Amino acid sequence: LRAMLSRWPDHPNVTLVTTDGFLRPNEYLLKHGLMQRKGFPESYDMRTMVEFLARVKAGDDTVSAPVYSHETYDIVPGERVAIRRPDILIFEGLNVLQAGHPGSGGSRSPAVILSDFFDFSIYLDAEEPSIENWYVERFLLLQHLAFQRPKSYFHHYADLSPEAARKVALQIWREVNQVNLRENILPTRERAHLVLRKQADHAIAEILLRQT
């Protein structure tokens, strides 16, 4: 999407930022008992995320965002990525369309404010069995690639047998990712401007555009 949009002469500067960089560091998650809730709304630094989007939307010359490493499964200390007035910012993540809950005095939570920054939102949808299969396939692939690196957070899974690795992947899916999907992600689908429904082979089977 970024590559295609950047080919238009009207907006050549297209930047992609993921919400992974706004996850709380593992040290914080462990201290507050949230490690098993990583990827859930409460595991993100919502205030920093909102401030980042506000500054980009305001047209600040340079705005920086934290950097996340999938190898170490943590925020990279002291490392930032610089965003310089993009024509289009693609902000990709799981929980960006949540409605949130009223705060004290009837004020809106940061999650509500977050969704207000988006001019257009896209939700990638699929049947849950397909998503589960994709997760397990990805886990098994990474076991032979990234997990083999000694610095990988998941290095302890590197030598599991295929049967044991599949069992671990399914357990993680059912205890963490499936719960997050059902409780937090799927309910936001109706708030998206565009829903793209994928088949088991990742082909787009249906396109739903919300009329405004």
Side-chain angles (χ1 to χ4, degrees), residues 114-170:
L114 187 69
S115 64
D116 289 345
F117 286 103
F118 304 138
D119 299 303
F120 193 80
S121 54
I122 302 172
Y123 184 103
L124 288 177
D125 194 21
E127 295 294 330
E128 190 174 302
S130 294
I131 304 175
E132 177 182 306
N133 288 335
W134 296 337
Y135 177 82
V136 173
E137 289 171 0
R138 179 174 179 267
F139 185 95
L140 296 177
L141 177 63
L142 289 175
Q143 185 198 16
H144 298 290
L145 298 174
F147 294 0
Q148 297 293 324
R149 302 168 189 162
K151 291 184 179 180
S152 171
Y153 180 85
F154 296 102
H155 182 64
H156 55 287
Y157 294 139
D159 297 325
L160 291 178
S161 67
E163 296 78 12
R166 179 173 293 275
K167 184 177 179 180
V168 168
L170 284 170

Side-chain angles (χ1 to χ4, degrees), residues 54-95:
R55 291 186 59 194
V56 172
K57 195 80 170 182
D60 287 8
D61 288 336
T62 303
V63 184
S64 66
V67 174
Y68 184 82
S69 168
H70 286 276
E71 182 175 31
T72 63
Y73 198 58
D74 202 358
I75 298 297
V76 181
E79 188 170 337
R80 313 278 295 188
V81 58
I83 310 300
R84 295 181 173 86
R85 301 192 69 179
D87 300 311
I88 297 175
L89 173 67
I90 301 174
F91 198 65
E92 182 270 329
L94 296 176
N95 295 299

Side-chain angles (χ1 to χ4, degrees), residues 35-50:
M35 202 61 186
Q36 290 300 110
R37 303 282 291 179
K38 193 166 188 176
F40 286 67
E42 61 268 30
S43 66
Y44 291 91
D45 184 348
M46 295 299 298
R47 183 176 298 277
T48 299
M49 200 184 301
V50 168

Side-chain angles (χ1 to χ4, degrees), residues 30 52 126 212:
L30 288 168
F52 168 81
T212 57

